[in-house]
Amino acid sequence: MKLTVLGCGRWGTFLATYHCAKNQVLLWGRPGSKSLARLRDTRANEYQTLPDALLLGDDLAQALAFGQAIVISISAQHLRELAAQIQQYDVAGKTFILCMKGIEVDTGKRLTQVFRETVTQPVGLAVWVGPGHVQDFTAGVPNCMVVDSDDAATTDFVVDQLGSELIRLYKGRDLLGTEVGAAAKNVVGIAAGMLDGAGYTSLKGALMARGAREIARLIRAMGGNELSAYGLCHLGDYQATLFSPHSHNRQFGESFIKGEPFDRLAEGASTVKALVRLGTEYGVELPICETVNDLLYNGLTAQQALPRLFRRTVKGEFDY
């Protein structure tokens, strides 16, 4: 199969490299991309060396024409812009796979909603989310991830074509819950990093329990299956996001509390704004999301805000 990967960051480059073993793959980066320039010059990044067979390019028309399946791995907040460019080309009949996690800040919409609004041609569309870091996969450490779509045949196609022993793909059956859960775990990851930075690491177990419960309530209110919050898209991704030294979101949260600079992409910093918006829209209390948002954007200090994560009205653990 011919596969195109749009986005040459660490995850997109890994997917392109990994799938090159069994497929013809073209990896696309934006014209002028520093990451793409480095890959062209050295055929490597800090995580891996590119196989000789992997094609590189910055021509979007060529990239879209090349692949039967097209993986998108870019910052979530830039998806609408890229989708508008994709709409200018004939992509009917192709399958797009969003290997990214987030909710659009300006609208509160899930990424598949953003894509469908912008690309109106008949295409397959799936999301691929869940635990796993490039550093672990390149070291041969396996993990499980989940693929979901509003079309079961599309889910089956992606799992059948791209699953492997290293990355075991499960079939999701709740697209809304899968997307919201995957986006929200990055916010919980930032909260975990904040606890680390404040010396409250022992509270991360409680954060995991309450974070999954919080997001389950939101998914249910939005019309999804609350059990998705306890699956691979959210709770199953906690180790990789709340504890791993490779997690950008956890690192961002810790650096924020310590007042240290952090220059990597942490999707949760944008997503938290959208989640607070959705909580208001659907009438769901989101104390963890609201606390992270207040710390990042409303000027609260760690001493003021972090105790709010757990200082709640006494109630049953599973009361709504």
Side-chain angles (χ1 to χ4, degrees):
M1 182 177 72
K2 287 187 174 182
L3 178 71
T4 293
V5 178
L6 303 181
C8 55
R10 65 172 179 171
W11 185 236
T13 302
F14 165 73
L15 289 173
T17 298
Y18 178 67
H19 289 300
C20 213
K22 296 183 179 179
N23 303 279
Q24 299 178 59
V25 183
L26 186 154
L27 175 62
W28 173 89
R30 295 179 184 277
S33 163
K34 293 181 180 179
S35 296
L36 180 61
R38 178 181 176 183
L39 291 174
R40 280 174 159 166
D41 289 343
T42 67
R43 298 293 296 185
N45 62 15
E46 61 187 295
Y47 307 107
Q48 60 202 318
T49 298
L50 304 187
D52 293 339
L54 178 59
L55 303 174
L56 298 175
D58 61 6
D59 185 319
L60 184 59
Q62 180 186 42
L64 293 171
F66 179 86
Q68 174 188 359
I70 299 172
V71 168
I72 301 180
S73 179
I74 62 171
S75 169
Q77 303 308 318
H78 294 153
L79 178 61
R80 189 177 292 274
E81 175 189 356
L82 179 60
Q85 296 177 48
I86 292 171
Q87 173 65 8
Q88 299 173 23
Y89 302 97
D90 180 9
V91 293
K94 295 181 181 290
T95 298
F96 287 84
I97 309 162
L98 305 182
C99 293
M100 47 203 291
K101 303 161 185 175
I103 298 173
E104 191 174 53
V105 171
D106 292 341
T107 64
K109 292 184 176 179
R110 294 176 285 114
L111 299 184
T112 57
Q113 292 176 306
V114 171
F115 191 90
R116 287 290 191 198
E117 283 182 358
T118 313
V119 178
T120 59
Q121 301 174 57
V123 298
L125 182 62
V127 298
W128 174 344
V129 297
H133 287 295
V134 170
Q135 295 92 326
D136 293 328
F137 284 135
T138 55
V141 180
N143 216 322
C144 303
M145 303 184 78
V146 60
V147 173
D148 213 332
S149 174
D150 55 8
D151 174 60
T154 299
T155 300
D156 293 344
F157 169 77
V158 175
V159 171
D160 293 344
Q161 292 294 318
L162 300 179
S164 68
E165 291 185 3
L166 182 65
I167 307 177
R168 179 180 173 86
L169 297 179
Y170 282 80
K171 299 177 181 180
R173 294 291 185 252
D174 174 34
L175 181 60
L176 184 154
T178 296
E179 287 192 86
V180 172
K185 68 92 189 177
N186 284 331
V187 176
V188 182
I190 290 177
M194 289 176 167
L195 291 176
D196 287 336
Y200 296 159
T201 298
S202 62
L203 286 174
K204 289 205 295 190
L207 178 69
M208 293 170 65
R210 299 315 303 163
R213 191 65 182 147
E214 178 171 317
I215 301 309
R217 291 197 305 268
L218 178 61
I219 290 172
R220 184 184 186 214
M222 293 177 68
N225 183 347
E226 64 184 288
L227 291 178
S228 293
Y230 303 100
L232 289 168
C233 73
H234 189 76
L235 181 61
D237 206 349
Y238 272 7
Q239 189 282 332
T241 308
L242 277 65
F243 294 92
S244 173
H246 306 314
S247 168
H248 286 178
N249 288 282
R250 193 209 60 78
Q251 291 178 45
F252 171 80
E254 181 174 355
S255 296
F256 182 86
I257 293 299
K258 292 181 175 179
E260 299 172 350
F262 187 79
D263 61 359
R264 301 295 184 99
L265 174 65
E267 289 280 14
S270 297
T271 299
V272 69
K273 298 179 182 179
L275 288 174
V276 169
R277 172 180 180 154
L278 290 172
T280 300
E281 180 180 345
Y282 288 94
V284 180
E285 271 194 293
L286 303 174
I288 294 171
C289 295
E290 291 162 7
T291 298
V292 171
N293 188 70
D294 283 344
L295 275 161
L296 295 182
Y297 303 112
N298 294 330
L300 268 68
T301 67
Q303 291 74 21
Q304 292 171 319
L306 288 179
R308 288 173 23 188
L309 290 173
F310 306 101
R311 190 179 296 160
R312 309 286 296 159
T313 302
V314 176
K315 60 180 69 175
E317 182 178 10
F318 294 107
D319 290 349
Y320 282 93

